[in-house]
Amino acid sequence: MNVPAIEAQLLTKEYKSGRGCRDVSITVEKGEAFGFLGPNGAGKSTFVKMLAGLIRPTSGSAALFGHPIRTIAAKSKIGYLPELYRYQEWLTGEEVVRLHARLCGIGKSEADIRIPELLKEVGIGQRGRDRVKHYSKGMQQRLGLACALVNDPELVFLDEPSSALDPIGRMEVRSILEKLKQRGITIFLNSHLLEDVEVLCDRMALLNNGEILRHGKVTEILNKRTSWHFKVGGYSPFLLSWLMEHTGLQIRQAVEDADHAEGAIVIPSTVEGSTVWLEAEVESEEQVGWLNTLIIEQGMTLYEVARKKERLEEWFLDAVSGLSHRGEQD
């Protein structure tokens, strides 16, 4: 029997303030990377803390690898990096990880081998001998990641693991997570950095005001749209209307990301012979080839053709557009 890494049924945590989450049901398979998204105050951290056994649910149930949450059997299989962490600033980084190793019941001989490897893996290395008070916030976050991995968990809960890191640091942490995934470790990633979820995760769910709003496979969401961009030289203003009439497809003049700032207003070109981008909604790649042929047959130059994916940010904003959000101020 294949037991899921995480199985939550109608998991609920109610607070007098109205925060928390309600009737959240998800299943995460072993070895899967699962992204948990949502605006600030959506209830993401509350849900993770329930799964990690740190707070007691108001109702509902959940199990990790078939073991009920809050049991020793469940907790022994997980690593957890909280969003808000505090480490003893008078200890060295190595001593902090060693303390967590002892709390996990790891013997000294095993810890002596494992801890230097972990510190190197997360990018701390020899600075593990420095006291935590000399660490930047990013270094402390790397230290937290080492603590989360010290017991060689089967499942890691990561609550905003890259939030304090610069772009290079985020790339390094992403590389670490990809290696964990390759080793078959299940990853539950709670993050507002959509790029991390987009690159790493297999599936994801979007939480808003404590309830699941949308969920699905990342690949299906990113490939939802079938828009294609065509960079056309020697453009004639009459081409657009002719193409739509001849093909029956929805085609418009588009914005080239490299040439225009985000949010810029682009006035359709009416200059004969100019170079423009066209965007077409198609049903198949055969129609893309058809459009290529038609454009060239009209005596114009086709410089570039590329499929436009729906980025995760667009999907996220579309999902929460017009909805209320509790936010951090509530």
Side-chain angles (χ1 to χ4, degrees), residues 20 32 94 98 147 216 232 239-240 243 259 264 278 281 292 304:
E32 188 175 27
E94 182 178 336
R98 191 172 293 278
C147 292
V232 180
L239 176 67
L240 193 58
L243 283 175
D259 293 346
L278 299 180
E281 297 282 345
N292 291 347
E304 187 177 340

Side-chain angles (χ1 to χ4, degrees), residues 42-209:
K44 304 187 301 297
S45 293
T46 294
F47 184 72
V48 170
K49 289 176 182 177
M50 284 193 287
L51 292 179
L54 297 176
I55 59 177
R56 190 182 299 275
T58 304
S59 61
S61 62
L64 308 180
F65 301 99
H67 304 290
I69 54 174
R70 298 179 62 83
T71 62
I72 295 298
K75 292 180 180 180
S76 66
K77 294 180 177 292
I78 69 172
Y80 173 55
L81 173 62
E83 180 182 13
L84 301 175
Y85 47 84
R86 293 290 185 274
Y87 300 114
Q88 298 88 341
E89 63 177 16
W90 59 88
L91 296 179
T92 67
E94 182 178 336
E95 288 170 339
V96 170
V97 182
R98 191 172 293 278
L99 172 60
H100 282 77
R102 290 181 61 187
L103 292 173
C104 292
I106 298 173
K108 184 179 184 302
S109 58
E110 182 181 351
D112 288 342
I113 297 173
R114 182 154 179 77
I115 290 174
E117 294 176 347
L118 268 177
L119 292 175
K120 181 179 179 181
E121 184 178 3
V122 301
I124 292 179
Q126 295 300 315
R127 290 213 54 196
R129 300 171 183 174
D130 296 347
R131 297 191 186 280
V132 173
K133 66 180 179 180
H134 299 304
Y135 282 9
S136 65
K137 188 175 181 181
M139 285 289 289
Q140 291 191 42
Q141 196 143 20
R142 293 170 188 268
L143 179 62
L145 187 57
C147 292
L149 299 175
V150 72
N151 64 326
D152 195 17
E154 296 180 43
L155 164 66
V156 287
F157 291 105
L158 303 172
D159 201 347
E160 304 290 0
S162 302
S163 61
L165 302 176
D166 59 23
I168 295 176
R170 288 200 298 271
M171 182 179 64
E172 291 173 346
V173 168
R174 192 185 303 158
S175 176
I176 294 169
L177 299 183
E178 287 172 346
K179 291 176 182 177
L180 294 177
K181 184 179 178 182
Q182 291 170 6
R183 284 162 44 190
I185 295 175
T186 307
I187 299 172
F188 192 95
L189 179 62
N190 176 7
S191 178
H192 70 278
L193 297 174
L194 303 182
E195 182 182 354
D196 289 349
V197 175
E198 186 174 314
V199 171
L200 181 72
C201 295
D202 304 298
R203 290 191 302 124
M204 60 186 175
L206 174 60
L207 197 72
N208 187 62
N209 290 342

Side-chain angles (χ1 to χ4, degrees), residues 179-311:
K179 291 176 182 177
L180 294 177
K181 184 179 178 182
Q182 291 170 6
R183 284 162 44 190
I185 295 175
T186 307
I187 299 172
F188 192 95
L189 179 62
N190 176 7
S191 178
H192 70 278
L193 297 174
L194 303 182
E195 182 182 354
D196 289 349
V197 175
E198 186 174 314
V199 171
L200 181 72
C201 295
D202 304 298
R203 290 191 302 124
M204 60 186 175
L206 174 60
L207 197 72
N208 187 62
N209 290 342
E211 298 178 344
I212 294 289
L213 193 61
R214 289 187 183 179
H215 60 85
K217 293 183 179 180
V218 174
T219 53
E220 290 179 356
I221 291 168
L222 294 182
N223 291 321
K224 180 181 177 182
R225 289 185 181 177
T226 53
S227 294
W228 285 74
H229 279 182
F230 304 79
K231 188 175 184 179
V232 180
Y235 176 73
S236 170
F238 300 103
L239 176 67
L240 193 58
S241 57
W242 182 85
L243 283 175
M244 287 193 290
E245 182 179 350
H246 194 73
T247 64
L249 299 175
Q250 292 296 317
I251 308 172
R252 64 183 180 86
Q253 193 169 327
V255 177
E256 181 185 8
D257 295 338
D259 293 346
H260 298 278
E262 184 178 354
I265 298 175
V266 178
I267 301 174
S269 177
T270 58
V271 180
E272 190 80 25
S274 60
T275 298
V276 302
W277 282 87
L278 299 180
E279 181 176 332
E281 297 282 345
V282 302
E283 297 177 358
S284 66
E285 291 189 2
E286 286 75 14
Q287 289 183 335
V288 176
W290 186 28
L291 281 170
N292 291 347
T293 301
L294 292 175
I295 292 169
I296 293 171
E297 285 180 350
Q298 294 303 309
M300 298 174 200
T301 304
L302 191 60
Y303 289 111
E304 187 177 340
V305 179
R307 180 171 182 165
K308 179 187 176 185
K309 291 184 178 180
E310 180 183 37
R311 310 316 294 171

